[in-house]
């Protein structure tokens, strides 16, 4: 458990005094939930059942590049549904808001991540955080041949993480072999011409995105890149076009936790996204990226310890968007 200086090559640039306090709180929360053993590792994608249920990591990265860690922050796991906000960002960057929203909505469905339903009025999936919406997004950003689109996604995510990432081929194969429900969703959407005729290629793009290997620290870094209006706080590289980040964070806040999205927004009040491999991340706009990894999931497919840790962090640090300690936009203060 250690605080990593934003510039490891220059130890003189040590973390500020507050950093020790932040680290203490992180360590306390880690110890509190370390032995909690509730929930179940996902098995419906057979490869995921191989995860070690004891794994547990918490990582926070500030927009000025401080990294706070506790537990297993370097263990690789697949990003799963945490790819969805980033893929949505890529679609918005590629096609713009109006064109993207012709094919996918931004309404919370309040239903499970794998629900088979489309908006009866428009034929679109409700939002890009459930599988149907994410498959639409994947169909938009895929390229032919398929390797090209997957490579573009991996490259973007590598830039967000600040290191070179790769696909877990075993998970990709496992998802492809068993993903009949996603295939059914895709063909239903093909029936309504919501996605183009390259259904298998779109599914491949989606499955590959879900199979990206990341660590808890990678995900916190990606979250911090969103918080830092698109620039990776350590490498200084511009990764995301800032004009679309507010849309991505909004669908994360309203839809990121599926049928727990309302309870989450109420209790934690942060844009967030979970994945069935046990990852969850949250974004504190302009301040912080948070990530937790713990493979045991609750009934809604969210990491049990992940949810509890995020609740604790939000209450310890006053991170809820509408917390009374949150003073709001400095722009408005300037006007008053
Ligand atoms: N690959 C998984 C699926 O499509 C992702 C689901 C998730 O992480 N919630 O079923």
């Amino acid at each position: 458990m250690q605080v990593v200086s934003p510039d490891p090559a220059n130890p003189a640039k040590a973390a500020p005094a507050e950093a020790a306090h932040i680290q203490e709180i992180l360590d306390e929360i880690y110890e509190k939930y370390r032995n909690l053993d509730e929930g179940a590792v996902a098995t419906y994608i057979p490869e995921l059942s191989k995860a070690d249920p004891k794994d547990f990591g918490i990582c926070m990265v500030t927009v000025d590049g401080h990294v706070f860690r506790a537990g297993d922050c370097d263990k690789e796991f697949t990003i799963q549904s945490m790819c969805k906000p980033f893929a949505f960002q890529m679609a918005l960057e590629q096609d713009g808001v109006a064109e993207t929203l012709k094919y996918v909505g931004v309404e919370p469905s309040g239903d499970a991540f794998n629900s088979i339903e489309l908006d009866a009025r428009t034929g679109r999936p409700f939002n890009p955080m459930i599988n149907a919406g994410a498959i639409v997004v994947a169909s938009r950003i895929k390229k032919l041949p398929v390797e090209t689109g997957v490579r573009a996604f991996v490259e973007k995510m590598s830039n967000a993480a600040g290191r070179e990432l790769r696909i877990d081929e075993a998970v990709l194969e496992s998802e492809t072999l068993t993903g009949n429900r996603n295939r059914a969703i895709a063909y239903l959407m093909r029936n309504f011409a919501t996605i183009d005729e390259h259904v298998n290629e779109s599914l491949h793009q989606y499955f590959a995105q879900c199979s990206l290997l990341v660590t808890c620290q990678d995900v916190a870094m990606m979250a911090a890149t969103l918080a830092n209006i698109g620039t990776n706080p350590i490498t200084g590289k511009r990764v995301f076009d800032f004009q679309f980040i507010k849309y991505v964070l909004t669908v994360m806040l309203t839809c990121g936790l599926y049928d727990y999205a309302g309870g989450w927004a109420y209790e934690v009040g942060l844009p967030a996204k979970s994945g069935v491999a046990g990852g969850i991340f949250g974004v504190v706009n302009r301040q912080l990226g948070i990530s937790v990894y713990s493979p045991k999931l609750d009934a809604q497919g969210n990491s049990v310890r992940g949810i509890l840790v995020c609740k604790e962090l939000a209450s310890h640090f006053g991170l809820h968007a509408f917390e009374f300690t949150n003073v709001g936009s400095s722009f408005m203060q300037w006007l008053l």
Side-chain angles (χ1 to χ4, degrees):
M1 283 160 249
Q2 78 274 33
V3 181
V4 181
S5 163
D7 184 0
N10 179 8
K13 260 173 106 186
E18 301 80 35
H21 181 58
I22 295 172
Q23 183 64 43
E24 241 169 62
I25 292 175
L26 211 65
D27 290 344
E28 264 168 37
I29 296 172
Y30 175 78
E31 285 304 327
K32 181 168 173 185
Y33 294 110
R34 188 188 188 139
N35 295 317
L36 186 93
D37 191 30
E38 282 166 26
V41 173
T43 53
Y44 78 101
I45 299 170
E47 258 320 283
L48 295 185
S49 65
K50 295 181 181 168
D52 184 345
K54 289 193 292 302
D55 282 348
F56 184 29
I58 310 174
C59 185
M60 300 202 307
V61 177
T62 65
V63 293
D64 57 359
H66 282 103
V67 180
F68 301 92
R69 302 156 43 106
D72 307 307
C73 290
D74 299 320
K75 179 104 180 228
E76 286 189 320
F77 57 97
T78 51
I79 193 166
Q80 293 301 331
S81 283
M82 294 188 294
C83 70
K84 291 170 179 171
F86 299 105
F88 183 47
Q89 169 79 23
M90 284 181 75
L92 292 171
E93 289 181 8
Q94 177 189 291
D95 294 334
V97 175
E99 185 64 15
T100 305
L101 265 53
K102 279 187 194 164
Y103 303 95
V104 61
V106 290
E107 290 300 333
S109 68
D111 287 316
F113 69 89
N114 57 4
S115 58
I116 303 182
E117 60 179 347
L118 300 174
D119 187 328
R121 291 166 304 138
T122 61
R124 298 175 310 179
F126 281 95
N127 65 71
M129 301 295 108
I130 50 172
N131 288 9
I135 293 168
V136 168
V137 166
S139 87
R140 309 284 315 159
I141 63 175
K142 74 167 183 305
K143 302 274 177 296
L144 302 175
V146 283
E147 295 73 35
T148 323
V150 174
R151 211 177 303 125
F153 176 77
V154 174
E155 198 179 303
K156 188 89 158 172
M157 300 306 283
S158 299
N159 285 332
R163 76 174 184 105
E164 211 168 301
L165 303 177
R166 68 200 159 88
I167 303 287
D168 184 327
E169 297 295 338
V171 172
L172 174 55
E173 197 188 327
S174 194
E175 293 227 22
T176 308
L177 286 173
T178 59
N180 289 324
R181 193 177 172 104
N182 286 326
R183 218 163 274 128
I185 294 171
Y187 276 100
L188 180 67
M189 294 194 297
R190 177 62 198 140
N191 179 63
F192 292 110
T194 314
I195 61 174
D196 66 25
E197 70 275 25
H198 303 289
V199 180
N200 283 329
E201 288 79 359
S202 296
L203 283 162
H204 179 79
Q205 176 80 25
Y206 173 69
F207 291 143
Q209 287 170 193
C210 291
S211 305
L212 186 75
L213 279 169
V214 288
T215 66
C216 187
Q217 178 163 326
D218 290 332
V219 178
M221 203 65 76
M222 293 167 175
T225 300
L226 287 176
N228 195 31
I229 42 175
T231 297
N232 181 300
I234 301 276
T235 64
K237 197 168 198 162
R238 264 200 83 86
V239 183
F240 302 121
D241 187 334
F242 70 89
Q243 61 177 311
F244 301 113
I245 292 178
K246 70 175 179 185
Y247 300 121
V248 172
L249 296 182
T250 304
V251 290
M252 284 171 66
L253 179 65
T254 54
C255 315
L257 277 283
Y258 319 115
D259 35 347
Y260 176 52
W264 173 270
Y266 186 82
E267 290 183 75
V268 183
L270 288 180
K273 189 73 205 77
S274 60
V276 286
I280 182 165
F281 76 93
V283 176
V284 185
N285 199 25
R286 311 296 287 269
Q287 294 182 57
L288 196 64
I290 299 169
S291 161
V292 185
Y293 171 51
S294 172
K296 285 193 155 191
L297 310 178
D298 63 18
Q300 281 120 332
N302 300 317
S303 168
V304 173
R305 286 191 289 196
I307 299 269
L308 291 167
V309 169
C310 289
K311 280 184 186 170
E312 292 263 358
L313 289 171
S315 84
H316 272 284
F317 296 118
L319 304 179
H320 193 296
F322 308 116
E323 179 70 44
F324 70 93
T325 51
N326 187 330
V327 291
S329 161
S330 52
F331 174 71
M332 284 304 289
Q333 285 165 37
W334 178 75
L335 285 179
L336 291 171

